Amino acid sequence: RKEVEQDPGPFNVPEGATVAFNCTYSNSASQSFFWYRQDCRKEPKLLMSVYSSGNEDGRFTAQLNRASQYISLLIRDSKLSDSATYLCVGNTGTASKLTFGTGTRLQVTL
Amino acid sequence: DVKVTQSSRYLVKRTGEKVFLECVQDMDHENMFWYRQDPGLGLRLIYFSYDVKMKEKGDIPEGYSVSREKKERFSLILESASTNQTSMYLCASSLQGGKETQYFGPGTRLLVL
């Protein structure tokens, strides 16, 4: 079983829609989680950290469910510029290492 | 802003050549990482370093070595390039500790012929 698993998509949604991605992790000792965004042929960039209590940054909301070992990302009022691949990331419990999911591709259309 | 730079955006090498990929970060970060990214496989950790002259194997170290002589610089070396090492190589850095956000360089697209 992969340490971090995501649905690869693609998710095709119209502008203005709300879309949610889930990601499951296998290591119950994982402590830190992040969502990264990666545009085509570019490097991953941090979108937001995921906190236990859930957190929001504008149109983006991240949630952590430790009991079921998943994290989620909700995007409200999708914009064309949100089209990208979203990477779910967790630390493995080993110092300094993060594990990246393979990414979920989002395509927002007119 | 954190800046991570990589020596080349695109590189074409021949099988058997020795290849050096350089990465430099300007934020005094303790940790540095080398990944490769391939379609369908995501980012896979090759090596990382948590201090000068220290290195740790990642998930796929075979065929690679690294060097960290200075804190700001982390080099990835392909001793004898092979076609299955054609990939996107990404360098990242983070502050001390495993919980910290990693910041990536722009990547090097390596093609081995």
Side-chain angles (χ1 to χ4, degrees):
Chain A
R1 185 183 171 189
K2 291 182 181 176
E3 288 193 52
V4 177
E5 284 201 80
Q6 300 180 247
D7 181 343
F11 284 62
N12 294 300
V13 302
E15 252 192 319
T18 295
V19 61
F21 308 136
N22 282 340
C23 162
T24 58
Y25 61 95
S26 60
N27 188 339
S28 59
S30 295
Q31 298 172 14
S32 303
F33 301 92
F34 309 91
W35 283 101
Y36 276 70
R37 171 195 169 125
Q38 186 172 24
D39 293 295
C40 190
R41 304 183 78 81
K42 299 276 190 166
E43 74 273 22
K45 293 184 179 178
L46 178 69
L47 178 66
M48 58 196 303
S49 300
V50 184
Y51 302 122
S52 296
S53 54
N55 49 300
E56 192 173 301
D57 182 2
R59 298 181 293 107
F60 299 85
T61 300
Q63 298 266 337
L64 168 62
N65 184 318
R66 286 197 183 276
S68 301
Q69 293 185 208
Y70 76 83
I71 68 172
S72 63
L73 177 68
L74 182 78
I75 306 174
R76 289 180 300 279
D77 189 23
S78 299
K79 311 289 185 193
L80 292 174
S81 57
D82 294 334
S83 298
T85 296
Y86 291 84
L87 305 176
C88 170
V89 187
N91 90 319
T92 63
T94 302
S96 302
K97 285 180 63 173
L98 296 179
T99 299
F100 288 77
T102 53
T104 297
R105 196 155 69 85
L106 171 66
Q107 184 66 50
V108 181
T109 56
L110 288 169
Chain B
D1 273 353
V2 176
K3 192 165 183 188
V4 181
T5 57
Q6 295 183 228
S7 50
S8 305
R9 293 300 302 273
Y10 300 94
L11 213 49
V12 180
K13 296 291 181 181
R14 296 205 176 276
T15 302
E17 279 193 79
K18 191 168 187 175
V19 182
F20 292 88
L21 302 182
E22 302 282 335
C23 175
V24 177
Q25 50 94 3
D26 67 356
M27 284 301 291
D28 203 34
H29 282 173
E30 303 289 336
N31 301 328
M32 295 188 76
F33 308 83
W34 274 107
Y35 295 88
R36 64 179 282 178
Q37 187 174 29
D38 301 286
L41 297 177
L43 274 86
R44 292 180 291 168
L45 182 64
I46 303 171
Y47 268 98
F48 66 102
S49 167
Y50 51 86
D51 202 353
V52 175
K53 296 195 187 294
M54 305 300 289
K55 61 183 179 184
E56 293 277 347
K57 291 181 180 179
D59 300 316
I60 51 162
E62 297 79 20
Y64 303 95
S65 62
V66 290
S67 171
R68 192 157 181 212
E69 296 296 319
K70 293 186 178 182
K71 191 175 185 180
E72 67 272 16
R73 189 180 297 269
F74 192 34
S75 302
L76 179 70
I77 302 147
L78 286 65
E79 296 289 344
S80 177
S82 62
T83 54
N84 63 12
Q85 291 180 308
T86 291
S87 187
M88 168 74 128
Y89 289 89
L90 289 155
C91 173
S93 72
S94 70
L95 286 169
Q96 192 173 29
K99 296 183 182 181
E100 298 292 335
T101 305
Q102 291 183 14
Y103 298 89
F104 285 84
T108 296
R109 287 198 174 273
L110 172 66
L111 173 63
V112 182
L113 299 174

